[in-house]
Amino acid sequence: MAEEKDPTSVPLSQADNAAIEDPEDPAKSPPSSPNSSTRKACCFVLQSWVSKKFMTGCVVLFPVAVTFFITWWFIQFVDGFFSPLYSRLGFDIFGLGFVTSLLFVFLVGVFVSSWMGATVIWVGEWVIKRMPFVRHIYSASKQISAAISPDQNTTAFKEVAIIRHPRVGEYAFGFITSTVTLQKDNEDEELCSVFVPTNHLYIGDIYLVNSKDITRPNLSIREGIEIIVSGGMTMPQTISPMQRVGRANDRIPMNRLG
């Protein structure tokens, strides 16, 4: 009687070949050579070095590119005021309109500084303030320009201020615009109107703060504007109140005593 074969039995030769050819078994796969591991490590180091240097180049060139683009756009924009006039006269020189625009702005400043120019500006403002919609735009623009004007007047920012806002332990940069006296039953309280910008310079909140609770740093108006517009990136590492700076300047050196 013939012997029945077990269908699950596999010859030993086939089982050995299957065990050798199994690629999913890491223990039975052939070991990688040292040269391939070194090559992978070198490729990883080189890729990391290249990406790092590329990002460093982007970080360095980005502000340069932005500055060049804005400067070039500004020159073309200003040059476009007088360059068509020179083109009609036959002078096609790039930059001539830009120089003419700068000279025109300088002459306007000289003219406005005189009594005749001040009179003309006063009449022009009187006409603009009678216009329904234009007067609001002109008033806001004039207040912003007056803040950085070298001739400080009653509408300009007086001083840079640091106040406690919005919670205890937190501070906010602002500008003192005016002072007001709050009349009380016991005594009058001197308050300062502090403008705290919330969207660059043209939008912000106004706070009435006691003058004793205001820290006046040793910063000019332009430095305060640069700090706010730059988002705090131009913030100095050390800020000293003006009172402390004044006291330090009033000290007499020890070698001068006696």
Side-chain angles (χ1 to χ4, degrees):
M1 187 173 180
E3 295 181 358
E4 295 181 358
K5 296 183 179 180
D6 188 4
T8 59
S9 63
V10 180
L12 295 176
S13 59
Q14 296 181 2
D16 294 340
N17 295 333
I20 295 174
E21 295 176 356
D22 188 6
E24 297 181 356
D25 192 355
K28 298 178 181 180
S29 60
S32 59
S33 61
N35 294 332
S36 61
S37 301
T38 305
R39 192 181 301 109
K40 291 181 180 179
C42 292
C43 292
F44 176 78
V45 173
L46 181 61
Q47 182 180 2
S48 177
W49 182 81
V50 170
S51 61
K52 182 178 180 180
K53 297 303 178 182
F54 181 79
M55 292 302 300
T56 302
C58 292
V59 171
V60 173
L61 292 178
F62 178 75
V64 177
V66 172
T67 304
F68 178 79
F69 175 78
I70 295 178
T71 304
W72 183 255
W73 173 84
F74 178 76
I75 292 175
Q76 289 183 333
F77 176 76
V78 177
D79 185 76
F81 287 103
F82 291 95
S83 57
L85 178 61
Y86 286 115
S87 299
R88 293 181 180 180
L89 297 177
F91 299 98
D92 193 6
I93 302 176
F94 179 76
L96 187 60
F98 178 76
V99 175
T100 306
S101 300
L102 295 181
L103 182 60
F104 175 75
V105 173
F106 173 76
L107 294 178
V108 168
V110 174
F111 177 73
V112 171
S113 301
S114 62
W115 65 271
M116 183 179 297
T119 304
V120 173
I121 293 298
W122 181 82
V123 174
E125 288 183 349
W126 183 85
V127 174
I128 292 176
K129 290 180 179 180
R130 296 299 184 275
M131 299 180 180
F133 179 73
V134 180
R135 60 183 180 182
H136 300 289
I137 301 176
Y138 179 78
S139 299
S141 303
K142 184 179 179 181
Q143 291 177 2
I144 296 174
S145 62
I148 59 176
S149 175
D151 300 329
Q152 296 293 333
N153 49 38
T154 56
T155 61
F157 294 155
K158 303 298 182 183
E159 295 178 87
V160 180
I162 299 178
I163 62 175
R164 294 183 180 272
H165 174 74
R167 293 182 295 270
V168 178
E170 298 182 3
Y171 299 89
F173 264 99
F175 301 96
I176 299 177
T177 57
S178 61
T179 57
V180 62
T181 302
L182 179 62
Q183 295 182 352
K184 296 182 178 180
D185 297 335
N186 299 331
E187 58 180 358
D188 297 341
E189 183 178 3
E190 182 180 357
L191 302 176
C192 293
S193 176
V194 181
F195 174 74
V196 178
T198 56
N199 188 359
H200 293 293
L201 284 176
Y202 48 88
I203 297 178
D205 299 324
I206 299 176
Y207 298 94
L208 295 178
V209 185
N210 193 309
S211 58
K212 298 179 182 179
D213 298 332
I214 297 177
T215 302
R216 294 172 170 82
N218 189 25
L219 298 173
S220 63
I221 300 298
R222 294 185 181 181
E223 291 175 343
I225 293 176
E226 290 178 358
I227 291 174
I228 292 176
V229 173
S230 65
M233 290 184 290
T234 60
M235 182 82 67
Q237 295 182 354
T238 303
I239 299 178
S240 301
M242 296 185 63
Q243 293 83 354
R244 180 176 299 179
V245 174
R247 293 174 183 175
N249 295 334
D250 294 339
R251 293 177 182 175
I252 303 176
M254 294 299 294
N255 56 5
R256 295 186 182 181
L257 295 177

